[in-house]
Amino acid sequence: MGKGYGYGKVILFNEHFVVYGIPAIASAIDKKTVAEVKKCKGKDFIIHDNRDATPGYKEEKLEQQKESIIRIKKAMGIEDCIEIWLHGDLKAASGIGASAASCAAIAKAIADEFGMNLSDEEINEIAYEGEKAYHGNPSGIDNTCAVFGGLVWFIKGKGMERLKIEKPVEIVMGDTGIVANTKKAVAGVRERKERYKEKYDKIFKEAEKLAYEARNALLEMDWKSVGELMNKNHKLLQEIEVSCKELDFLVEVALENGAYGAKMTGGGLGGYMVALTPGKELQEKVAKAIEKEGFYALRTKIGI
Ligand code: PMV
């Protein structure tokens, strides 16, 4: 039996903008998807998806998941049938890198089962192939976090740079419970970007400037500034129409309860938001406020 894992992630700055070469900042979180793989008799693969998930997520993603496994097998040159088990403490939902975490975990587990000695870079490339089934033309930020972990500065096509902070910091991730389609969200931005060129060019310039400011604030662990920049980033994401009323509501709840900053995270149109909540006490306060409104709140950290 081969075994592998992949981290979940949170995009702190510039999801969507990253697709067009603008720098983004993301971090792995301390939640993982674990895959186990065994050679078996039959055709292609058998999957047992035992991950905890937002209701409807697995059904909605089933076809993409199947295509993703076929892509991973092809990229690894595996023709045998394989049986796959997925589990772990990362709840499968939109916006938390669940698909990338599973691609990384499956690629590592296959490599382990077939005795392939692959580097993390090679695993990352294979996970990227798998991600294409979910995203169409992914930036690669999700699989990079899933494979390598840590806090990363990412530019599409150029790869990642690790950002080191002295100590992990608490965040809360609130789940709208809406299963979102990243492919559709990305396509929508592309269409509007062409239609409203001038407006979008201006927003994209602001996002680029914000990335460099956020990088400095993070490295200085200046949480007040990081929070303010997250709020600004959320506004830009609202302007390109990838937020939704449930995400905006959870952002408001987090800010009203003392979060330093809050924004949607990932593809948007549902899925997760993230709030910066340094210290256990503030984290608990914000998480409880989100739960009181009837939403799932994940307490985790960035910079692990
Ligand atoms: O929805 P998620 O968690 O898979 O994140 C998607 C991030 C995007 O920037 C919208 C797309 C991408 O490929 O980077």
Side-chain angles (χ1 to χ4, degrees):
M1 176 93 77
K3 203 167 172 180
Y5 65 83
Y7 295 102
K9 68 92 197 39
V10 57
I11 300 183
L12 295 169
F13 293 98
N14 282 350
E15 45 276 272
H16 285 287
F17 301 108
V18 68
V19 173
Y20 299 86
I22 287 175
I25 301 173
S27 178
I29 58 169
D30 61 353
K31 298 280 177 276
K32 286 182 207 153
T33 290
V34 179
E36 275 158 331
V37 164
K38 205 168 177 307
K39 269 185 239 176
C40 65
K41 288 213 163 64
K43 209 174 155 273
D44 295 333
F45 63 88
I46 304 163
I47 180 140
H48 312 276
D49 191 344
N50 300 324
R51 292 174 300 170
D52 186 15
T54 295
Y57 177 89
K58 287 189 203 170
E59 294 75 12
E60 175 81 22
K61 304 279 171 180
L62 190 60
E63 284 314 307
Q64 295 179 353
Q65 183 182 51
K66 284 184 190 162
E67 191 195 325
S68 160
I69 295 167
I70 289 167
R71 283 179 160 277
I72 291 173
K73 282 186 68 189
K74 192 162 172 235
M76 298 180 83
I78 301 293
E79 284 174 5
D80 299 76
C81 182
I82 53 172
E83 194 163 357
I84 306 167
W85 290 262
L86 286 182
H87 54 99
D89 59 2
L90 176 68
K91 185 177 163 202
S94 302
I96 198 158
S99 58
S102 73
C103 289
I106 292 170
K108 281 189 200 169
I110 293 178
D112 189 24
E113 172 71 354
F114 286 83
M116 301 161 87
N117 197 8
L118 300 181
S119 66
D120 279 352
E121 283 74 17
E122 285 167 315
I123 293 287
N124 196 27
E125 272 172 35
I126 296 159
Y128 181 72
E129 280 306 309
E131 263 288 90
K132 283 184 185 165
Y134 294 96
H135 280 201
N137 181 22
S139 64
I141 191 167
D142 284 16
N143 46 280
T144 300
C145 286
V147 173
F148 295 99
L151 181 65
V152 301
W153 169 261
F154 182 88
I155 302 178
K156 187 180 176 185
K158 292 201 180 143
M160 67 107 162
E161 182 193 330
R162 253 231 171 92
L163 301 179
K164 283 225 164 63
I165 54 174
E166 260 163 51
K167 181 164 130 332
V169 65
E170 289 79 7
I171 59 166
V172 175
M173 295 180 72
D175 184 6
T176 59
I178 300 169
V179 179
N181 184 332
T182 301
K183 233 180 196 175
K184 204 167 136 198
V186 171
V189 173
R190 184 167 300 275
E191 194 221 309
R192 290 186 294 276
K193 193 174 182 304
E194 278 162 22
R195 192 150 22 122
Y196 310 115
K197 195 177 172 315
E198 227 167 275
K199 178 182 168 196
Y200 272 59
D201 282 353
K202 210 168 141 242
I203 301 171
F204 274 58
K205 279 227 165 67
E206 278 182 52
E208 182 160 24
K209 187 167 151 262
L210 198 144
Y212 289 92
E213 289 169 4
R215 180 192 162 108
N216 291 339
L218 269 167
L219 289 173
E220 283 165 18
M221 296 177 72
D222 174 358
W223 301 128
K224 192 169 166 284
S225 301
V226 174
E228 279 165 11
L229 291 164
M230 285 168 73
N231 294 340
K232 277 193 190 165
N233 206 203
H234 184 65
K235 290 217 167 63
L236 298 181
L237 291 159
Q238 283 177 320
E239 282 176 37
I240 62 167
E241 297 180 41
V242 288
S243 191
C244 64
K245 68 175 193 320
E246 292 81 0
L247 282 166
D248 294 345
F249 173 67
L250 292 183
V251 163
E252 277 311 311
V253 170
L255 293 175
E256 275 166 15
N257 282 278
Y260 284 35
K263 62 182 275 291
M264 55 155 276
T265 184
L269 305 179
Y272 273 96
M273 51 70 71
V274 55
L276 181 65
T277 55
K280 279 248 166 285
E281 209 176 303
L282 180 58
Q283 183 185 44
E284 201 48 39
K285 186 171 179 230
V286 170
K288 284 235 169 77
I290 289 173
E291 285 165 351
K292 200 167 153 238
E293 296 294 342
F295 294 88
Y296 172 77
L298 174 69
R299 298 144 173 90
T300 183
K301 285 179 181 175
I302 54 165
I304 53 152

